[in-house]
Coordinates of all heavy atoms in Angstrom, one line a residue:
L938 N 120.5 28.4 138.1 CA 121.5 28.8 139.1 C 121.9 30.2 138.9 O 122.1 31.0 139.9 CB 122.7 27.8 138.8 CG 123.8 27.8 139.9 CD1 123.3 27.2 141.2 CD2 125.0 26.9 139.3
D939 N 122.1 30.7 137.7 CA 122.5 32.0 137.5 C 121.4 33.1 137.9 O 121.8 34.2 138.3 CB 122.9 32.2 136.0 CG 124.1 31.4 135.6 OD1 124.8 30.9 136.5 OD2 124.3 31.3 134.3
R940 N 120.2 32.7 137.7 CA 119.1 33.6 138.2 C 119.0 33.6 139.7 O 118.3 34.4 140.3 CB 117.7 33.0 137.7 CG 117.4 33.4 136.2 CD 115.9 33.0 135.9 NE 115.6 31.6 136.2 CZ 114.6 31.2 136.9 NH1 113.7 32.0 137.3 NH2 114.3 29.9 137.1
G941 N 119.5 32.5 140.3 CA 119.4 32.4 141.8 C 118.0 32.0 142.2 O 117.5 32.4 143.2
A942 N 117.3 31.3 141.3 CA 115.9 30.9 141.6 C 115.8 29.4 141.5 O 116.6 28.7 140.9 CB 115.0 31.5 140.6
F943 N 114.7 28.9 142.1 CA 114.4 27.5 142.1 C 114.1 27.0 140.7 O 113.4 27.7 139.9 CB 113.2 27.1 143.0 CG 112.6 25.8 142.8 CD1 113.4 24.6 143.0 CD2 111.3 25.6 142.3 CE1 112.8 23.4 142.8 CE2 110.8 24.4 142.1 CZ 111.5 23.2 142.4
G944 N 114.6 25.9 140.3 CA 114.2 25.3 139.0 C 114.4 23.8 139.2 O 115.2 23.3 140.0
A945 N 113.6 23.0 138.4 CA 113.7 21.5 138.4 C 114.0 21.1 137.0 O 113.3 21.5 136.1 CB 112.5 20.9 139.0
V946 N 115.0 20.2 136.9 CA 115.3 19.7 135.5 C 115.3 18.2 135.6 O 115.9 17.5 136.4 CB 116.8 20.2 135.2 CG1 117.2 19.6 133.8 CG2 116.9 21.7 135.2
L947 N 114.6 17.6 134.6 CA 114.6 16.1 134.5 C 115.7 15.8 133.4 O 115.4 16.2 132.2 CB 113.3 15.6 134.1 CG 113.2 14.1 133.8 CD1 113.6 13.3 135.0 CD2 111.8 13.7 133.4
L948 N 116.8 15.2 133.8 CA 117.8 14.8 132.8 C 117.6 13.4 132.4 O 117.9 12.5 133.1 CB 119.2 15.0 133.4 CG 120.4 14.8 132.5 CD1 120.3 15.6 131.2 CD2 121.7 15.0 133.2
H949 N 117.0 13.2 131.2 CA 116.6 11.9 130.8 C 117.7 11.5 129.8 O 117.7 11.9 128.6 CB 115.2 11.8 130.1 CG 114.9 10.5 129.6 ND1 113.8 10.3 128.8 CD2 115.4 9.3 129.7 CE1 113.7 9.1 128.4 NE2 114.7 8.4 129.0
G950 N 118.7 10.7 130.2 CA 119.8 10.3 129.3 C 119.9 8.8 129.3 O 119.9 8.2 130.4
V951 N 120.1 8.2 128.2 CA 120.2 6.7 128.1 C 121.4 6.3 129.0 O 122.3 7.1 129.3 CB 120.3 6.2 126.7 CG1 119.1 6.5 125.9 CG2 121.6 6.7 126.0
T952 N 121.5 5.0 129.3 CA 122.6 4.5 130.1 C 123.9 4.8 129.4 O 124.1 4.5 128.2 CB 122.5 3.0 130.3 OG1 122.3 2.3 129.0 CG2 121.3 2.6 131.2
G953 N 124.9 5.4 130.1 CA 126.2 5.7 129.6 C 126.2 6.9 128.6 O 127.1 7.1 127.8
S954 N 125.2 7.9 128.8 CA 125.1 9.0 127.9 C 125.9 10.2 128.5 O 125.9 11.3 127.8 CB 123.7 9.4 127.7 OG 123.0 9.7 128.9
G955 N 126.4 10.1 129.7 CA 127.2 11.2 130.2 C 126.5 12.1 131.2 O 126.8 13.3 131.3
K956 N 125.4 11.6 131.9 CA 124.7 12.3 132.8 C 125.6 12.8 134.0 O 125.5 14.0 134.4 CB 123.5 11.5 133.4 CG 122.5 11.1 132.3 CD 121.3 10.4 133.0 CE 121.7 8.9 133.4 NZ 122.1 8.0 132.4
T957 N 126.4 11.9 134.5 CA 127.3 12.2 135.6 C 128.2 13.4 135.3 O 128.4 14.3 136.2 CB 128.1 11.0 136.0 OG1 127.2 9.9 136.1 CG2 128.8 11.2 137.3
E958 N 128.7 13.5 134.1 CA 129.5 14.6 133.7 C 128.7 15.9 133.8 O 129.3 17.0 134.1 CB 130.1 14.4 132.3 CG 131.1 13.4 132.2 CD 132.4 13.7 133.0 OE1 132.7 14.9 133.2 OE2 133.0 12.7 133.5
V959 N 127.4 15.9 133.4 CA 126.6 17.1 133.5 C 126.4 17.5 135.0 O 126.6 18.7 135.3 CB 125.2 16.9 132.8 CG1 124.3 18.1 133.0 CG2 125.4 16.5 131.3
Y960 N 126.2 16.5 135.8 CA 126.0 16.9 137.3 C 127.3 17.5 137.8 O 127.3 18.5 138.5 CB 125.8 15.6 138.2 CG 124.7 14.7 137.8 CD1 124.9 13.3 138.0 CD2 123.5 15.1 137.2 CE1 123.9 12.4 137.7 CE2 122.5 14.2 136.9 CZ 122.7 12.8 137.1 OH 121.8 11.9 136.8
L961 N 128.4 16.9 137.4 CA 129.7 17.4 138.0 C 130.0 18.8 137.5 O 130.5 19.7 138.2 CB 130.9 16.4 137.6 CG 130.8 15.0 138.2 CD1 131.9 14.1 137.7 CD2 130.8 15.1 139.7
A962 N 129.7 19.1 136.2 CA 130.0 20.4 135.6 C 129.1 21.4 136.3 O 129.5 22.6 136.6 CB 129.8 20.4 134.1
L963 N 127.8 21.0 136.6 CA 126.9 22.0 137.2 C 127.3 22.3 138.6 O 127.3 23.5 139.1 CB 125.5 21.4 137.2 CG 124.4 22.2 137.8 CD1 124.1 23.5 137.0 CD2 123.1 21.4 138.0
I964 N 127.8 21.3 139.3 CA 128.3 21.5 140.7 C 129.5 22.4 140.7 O 129.6 23.3 141.5 CB 128.6 20.1 141.4 CG1 127.3 19.4 141.6 CG2 129.3 20.3 142.7 CD1 127.4 18.0 142.1
E965 N 130.4 22.2 139.7 CA 131.6 23.1 139.6 C 131.1 24.6 139.5 O 131.7 25.5 140.1 CB 132.4 22.7 138.4 CG 133.5 21.7 138.8 CD 134.3 21.2 137.6 OE1 134.0 21.6 136.5 OE2 135.2 20.3 137.9
R966 N 130.1 24.7 138.7 CA 129.6 26.1 138.4 C 129.0 26.7 139.7 O 129.2 27.9 140.0 CB 128.6 26.0 137.3 CG 128.0 27.3 136.9 CD 127.8 27.2 135.5 NE 127.1 28.4 135.0 CZ 127.1 28.7 133.7 NH1 127.7 27.9 132.8 NH2 126.5 29.8 133.3
A967 N 128.3 25.8 140.5 CA 127.7 26.3 141.7 C 128.8 26.7 142.7 O 128.8 27.8 143.3 CB 126.8 25.3 142.3
L968 N 129.8 25.9 142.8 CA 130.9 26.1 143.7 C 131.7 27.4 143.3 O 132.1 28.2 144.2 CB 131.9 24.9 143.7 CG 131.7 23.9 144.8 CD1 130.2 23.5 144.9 CD2 132.6 22.7 144.6
A969 N 131.8 27.6 142.0 CA 132.5 28.9 141.6 C 131.7 30.1 142.0 O 132.3 31.2 142.2 CB 132.6 28.8 140.1
K970 N 130.4 29.9 142.2 CA 129.6 31.1 142.7 C 129.5 31.1 144.2 O 128.7 31.9 144.7 CB 128.1 30.9 142.1 CG 128.0 31.1 140.6 CD 126.5 30.8 140.2 CE 126.3 31.2 138.8 NZ 126.4 32.6 138.5
G971 N 130.3 30.3 144.8 CA 130.3 30.3 146.3 C 129.1 29.5 146.9 O 128.7 29.7 148.1
R972 N 128.4 28.7 146.1 CA 127.3 28.0 146.6 C 127.7 26.5 146.8 O 128.7 26.1 146.3 CB 126.1 28.1 145.7 CG 125.7 29.6 145.5 CD 124.4 29.9 144.8 NE 123.2 29.4 145.6 CZ 122.0 29.5 145.1 NH1 121.8 30.0 143.9 NH2 121.0 29.1 145.8
S973 N 126.8 25.7 147.4 CA 127.2 24.4 147.8 C 126.2 23.4 147.0 O 125.3 23.8 146.4 CB 127.1 24.2 149.3 OG 125.8 24.5 149.7
A974 N 126.5 22.1 147.2 CA 125.7 21.1 146.4 C 125.5 19.8 147.2 O 126.4 19.4 147.9 CB 126.4 20.8 145.1
L975 N 124.3 19.2 147.0 CA 124.0 17.9 147.5 C 123.9 17.0 146.3 O 123.3 17.3 145.3 CB 122.7 17.9 148.2 CG 122.6 18.4 149.6 CD1 121.2 18.7 150.0 CD2 123.3 17.4 150.5
Y976 N 124.5 15.8 146.5 CA 124.5 14.8 145.4 C 123.9 13.5 146.0 O 124.6 12.8 146.8 CB 126.0 14.6 144.9 CG 126.1 13.8 143.6 CD1 126.9 14.4 142.6 CD2 125.5 12.6 143.4 CE1 127.1 13.7 141.4 CE2 125.7 12.0 142.2 CZ 126.5 12.5 141.2 OH 126.7 11.9 140.0
L977 N 122.7 13.2 145.6 CA 122.1 12.0 146.2 C 122.2 10.8 145.3 O 122.0 10.9 144.1 CB 120.6 12.2 146.5 CG 120.2 13.4 147.4 CD1 118.7 13.4 147.7 CD2 121.0 13.4 148.7
L978 N 122.5 9.7 145.9 CA 122.7 8.4 145.2 C 121.7 7.4 145.8 O 121.4 7.5 147.0 CB 124.1 7.9 145.3 CG 125.2 8.7 144.7 CD1 126.5 8.3 145.3 CD2 125.2 8.4 143.2
P979 N 121.2 6.5 145.0 CA 120.2 5.5 145.6 C 120.8 4.7 146.7 O 120.2 4.5 147.7 CB 119.7 4.7 144.4 CG 120.6 5.0 143.3 CD 121.3 6.3 143.5
E980 N 122.0 4.1 146.4 CA 122.6 3.2 147.5 C 124.1 3.4 147.4 O 124.7 3.1 146.4 CB 122.2 1.8 147.2 CG 121.0 1.2 147.9 CD 120.5 0.0 147.3 OE1 119.9 0.1 146.2 OE2 120.7 -1.1 147.8
I981 N 124.6 3.9 148.5 CA 126.0 4.2 148.6 C 126.9 3.0 148.4 O 127.9 3.1 147.7 CB 126.3 5.0 149.9 CG1 127.4 6.0 149.7 CG2 126.6 4.1 151.0 CD1 127.0 7.3 149.3
A982 N 126.5 1.9 148.9 CA 127.3 0.7 148.8 C 127.5 0.2 147.4 O 128.5 -0.4 147.0 CB 126.8 -0.4 149.7
L983 N 126.4 0.5 146.6 CA 126.4 0.0 145.2 C 127.0 1.0 144.2 O 127.0 0.8 143.0 CB 125.0 -0.4 144.8 CG 124.5 -1.7 145.4 CD1 123.0 -1.8 145.1 CD2 125.3 -2.9 144.9
T984 N 127.5 2.2 144.7 CA 127.9 3.2 143.8 C 129.3 3.7 144.1 O 129.6 4.9 144.1 CB 127.0 4.4 143.8 OG1 126.6 4.6 145.1 CG2 125.7 4.1 143.0
P985 N 130.3 2.8 144.4 CA 131.6 3.2 144.8 C 132.3 4.0 143.6 O 133.1 4.9 143.9 CB 132.4 1.9 145.1 CG 131.6 0.9 144.3 CD 130.2 1.3 144.3
Q986 N 131.9 3.7 142.4 CA 132.5 4.3 141.3 C 132.2 5.8 141.2 O 133.0 6.7 141.0 CB 132.1 3.6 140.0 CG 132.8 4.1 138.8 CD 132.3 3.3 137.6 OE1 131.1 3.0 137.5 NE2 133.2 3.0 136.7
T987 N 130.9 6.1 141.4 CA 130.5 7.5 141.4 C 131.1 8.3 142.5 O 131.5 9.4 142.3 CB 128.9 7.6 141.5 OG1 128.4 6.8 140.5 CG2 128.4 9.0 141.2
L988 N 131.2 7.7 143.7 CA 131.8 8.3 144.8 C 133.3 8.7 144.5 O 133.7 9.8 144.8 CB 131.9 7.3 146.0 CG 130.7 7.3 147.0 CD1 131.0 6.4 148.2 CD2 130.4 8.7 147.4
S989 N 134.0 7.7 143.9 CA 135.4 8.0 143.5 C 135.5 9.1 142.5 O 136.4 10.0 142.6 CB 136.0 6.7 142.8 OG 136.0 5.7 143.7
R990 N 134.5 9.2 141.6 CA 134.6 10.3 140.6 C 134.3 11.6 141.3 O 135.0 12.6 141.0 CB 133.5 10.1 139.5 CG 133.9 9.1 138.5 CD 132.8 8.7 137.5 NE 132.6 9.7 136.5 CZ 131.7 9.5 135.5 NH1 131.0 8.4 135.5 NH2 131.5 10.5 134.6
I991 N 133.4 11.7 142.3 CA 133.2 12.9 143.0 C 134.4 13.3 143.8 O 134.8 14.5 143.8 CB 131.9 12.8 143.9 CG1 130.7 12.5 143.0 CG2 131.7 14.0 144.8 CD1 129.5 12.1 143.8
H992 N 135.0 12.3 144.5 CA 136.2 12.6 145.3 C 137.3 13.1 144.4 O 138.1 14.0 144.7 CB 136.6 11.4 146.1 CG 135.8 11.3 147.3 ND1 135.7 12.2 148.3 CD2 135.0 10.3 147.7 CE1 134.9 11.8 149.3 NE2 134.4 10.6 148.9
A993 N 137.5 12.4 143.2 CA 138.5 12.8 142.3 C 138.4 14.2 141.8 O 139.3 15.0 141.6 CB 138.6 11.8 141.1
R994 N 137.1 14.6 141.6 CA 136.8 16.0 141.0 C 136.9 17.1 142.1 O 137.4 18.1 141.9 CB 135.4 16.0 140.4 CG 135.1 17.2 139.5 CD 136.0 17.2 138.3 NE 135.7 16.2 137.3 CZ 134.8 16.3 136.3 NH1 134.1 17.4 136.2 NH2 134.6 15.3 135.5

Side-chain angles (χ1 to χ4, degrees):
L938 192 64
D939 295 348
R940 280 191 303 136
F943 166 63
V946 178
L947 177 59
L948 183 58
H949 178 192
V951 300
T952 51
S954 59
K956 296 182 290 297
T957 308
E958 288 299 330
V959 176
Y960 309 145
L961 297 176
L963 181 66
I964 292 173
E965 270 175 0
R966 184 143 174 163
L968 267 47
K970 289 176 176 293
R972 300 188 70 179
S973 59
L975 277 168
Y976 195 130
L977 303 188
L978 293 162
E980 264 162 287
I981 209 92
L983 286 171
T984 42
Q986 189 178 34
T987 308
L988 272 187
S989 301
R990 280 170 81 176
I991 295 167
H992 281 300
R994 192 67 68 91

